[in-house]
Amino acid sequence: MPSLTLTPIRALLIGGALLLMLMLNSCGKQPTTLERIQEQGILHVITRNSPSTYFQDRNGETGFEYELIKHFADQLGVELRIETADNLDQLFNSLSAEDGPAIAAAGLVPNPERVDQVRFSDSYLDVSSQFIYHQKNTRPKQAKDLVGHTLLALKGSIHEAHLQKLKHDHPTLDYAVSDQVESVDLLRMVDEKQVDMVLVNSNQVAMNQVYFPDIRVAFTLQASHPLSWAIAPGTDVSLLNEINRFLANAKQSGLLQRLTERYYGHVDTLGYVGANAFARHLQQRLPNYEAHFRAAAQEHKVDWRLLAAMGYQESHWLPTATSKTGVRGLMMLTLRTAQAMGVKNRLDPKQSIQGGARYIAMLMSQLPKSIDPADRIWFALAAYNVGMGHLHDARKLTSAEGLDPNKWLDVKTILPRLAQKQWYSKTRYGYARGGEPVHFVNNIRRYYDILTWVTQPQIEGTSISNGGTHIPGFTPADSRTVPTDPELINE
Ligand code: BLG
């Protein structure tokens, strides 16, 4: 039987082996970057404040990047902490700092010059670089047409690298870069003719076309480049792998498509002409009625931007609008509804707005409690357009189909059936042009989203009419004489 007594040498050997095992074990237990984030319960992200990345809206934080990374944080089961950087240098530097943010999510193009500094994730959106000019100037069609014009891009962006290359081929080309502005500011500068041209990402153009009526694409520089998130260098691959898995899922589940449509789909929804008209009317017409929208909204406890969005959908903010069926005014009240709301003259914009506000508030309060709170407003808008009776018919048909009558997503697929005999013959109120309220709500949501950015809470308190928002060139409210509505006035 071997002796169990320990010689000093043996004890030393065993002790050393134990120590080694302990060390190896503790190395194995070293938490990965991902585990550390999960242990701390916080995902610290840096971004930029802009309409395509992150901003405050009526419900709090929002923006394409914000929504995407919030889904990621939710999936990890951690809290999201957002920090914003003033410029790209600051963003990348803070990412490399100790205890800095784990991810930068800010519509970043993996610029070869940054590759040593940070690591980029897989792409979530492909964009291209576009030269933007003012529609009143001659359209430049190629790089040599840029010579002799003032040209601006964001400092530290991929566009700066593009311009450097162009300058190499066209030495007389002049350009400047700035770290004091966002892409949205560059586009505004073209719209205001402060600069001849700017180079920005195509997603920025798609989003901002509705704010700046005079901007146009001159030409596209490069077919496409990817947008990615960046993570700090020197970390293990756990976080990067998790991000890439999440992005692949977001593509598959349709999440990325939904976000892209919501933030960059203005032109697709409104059409190019529609988007441009909205941008013009935002500047030229809305300031005349903003005070009325605000006053009516306050009285009836609704968001004034929602009323303004409704007014745009109804009449393009034209107080004398009249439909084929005799529905009239800025908020398009029927004669019956106008009378019920105490409106004496439908063509008076102030009265029309007050009537519309009172009516939508009343419809909101009449909706059954069972309706999903987030969806109530869409139901109320549908009722504003098609009437509460028809809306309830559509909800009943929705239930009969095994869908949820309290969810707008379900009811909106059924509403168009009210125009088909096989369906409306089974309803209480019969035929209605059921497709119209769906279109009506879709458009209002779009206008509402746009107005929300224009009048973010941090710049609230400044009204559109005094030029205090992001939109330049607003004229003060006018005091036009109000035409009369003979149908009501003469009664
Ligand atoms: C709405 C009324 C509802 C009414 C429905 O019609 O008008 N809304 C307003 O007046 C604000 O009150 O519901 S009901 O009272 O329960 O019957 C249904 O009659 C208005 C709609 C009609 C629509 N725009 C507001 O959205 C309109 O103008 N249609 C005309 C189309 S066309 O140009 O003549 O083809």
Side-chain angles (χ1 to χ4, degrees), residues 314 324-325 332-334 336-337 359 384-387 433:
E314 293 288 11
K324 284 178 278 188
T325 45
M332 280 288 180
L333 305 173
T334 60
R336 221 174 58 143
T337 303
Y359 190 46
Y384 186 100
N385 179 254
V386 76
R433 293 196 307 196

Side-chain angles (χ1 to χ4, degrees), residues 53-160:
T53 49
Y54 168 78
F55 64 98
Q56 302 280 328
D57 83 348
R58 54 193 185 255
N59 301 315
E61 296 168 294
T62 189
F64 180 97
E65 293 288 352
Y66 173 79
E67 285 202 39
L68 191 59
I69 203 123
K70 178 80 172 77
H71 273 94
F72 182 56
D74 288 349
Q75 186 187 295
L76 296 182
V78 298
E79 185 196 321
L80 178 61
R81 183 185 298 160
I82 294 277
E83 179 190 338
T84 58
D86 289 338
N87 55 52
L88 286 170
D89 276 340
Q90 196 192 85
L91 179 131
F92 282 111
N93 289 340
S94 73
L95 201 59
S96 313
E98 204 151 311
D99 284 334
I103 306 177
L108 303 169
V109 176
N111 186 338
E113 288 166 22
R114 301 279 187 197
V115 169
D116 299 337
Q117 203 181 347
V118 295
R119 280 202 268 182
F120 288 98
S121 73
D122 289 346
S123 151
Y124 52 82
L125 195 71
D126 280 336
V127 298
S128 49
S129 296
Q130 294 184 317
F131 280 102
I132 304 300
Y133 76 112
H134 191 284
Q135 60 142 339
K136 295 225 169 94
N137 294 338
T138 315
R139 178 180 173 182
K141 298 210 172 69
Q142 50 190 317
K144 72 174 170 54
D145 300 341
L146 304 170
V147 174
H149 292 287
T150 49
L151 186 55
L152 193 59
L154 287 193
K155 186 165 184 286
S157 68
I158 191 82
H159 310 299
E160 182 178 6

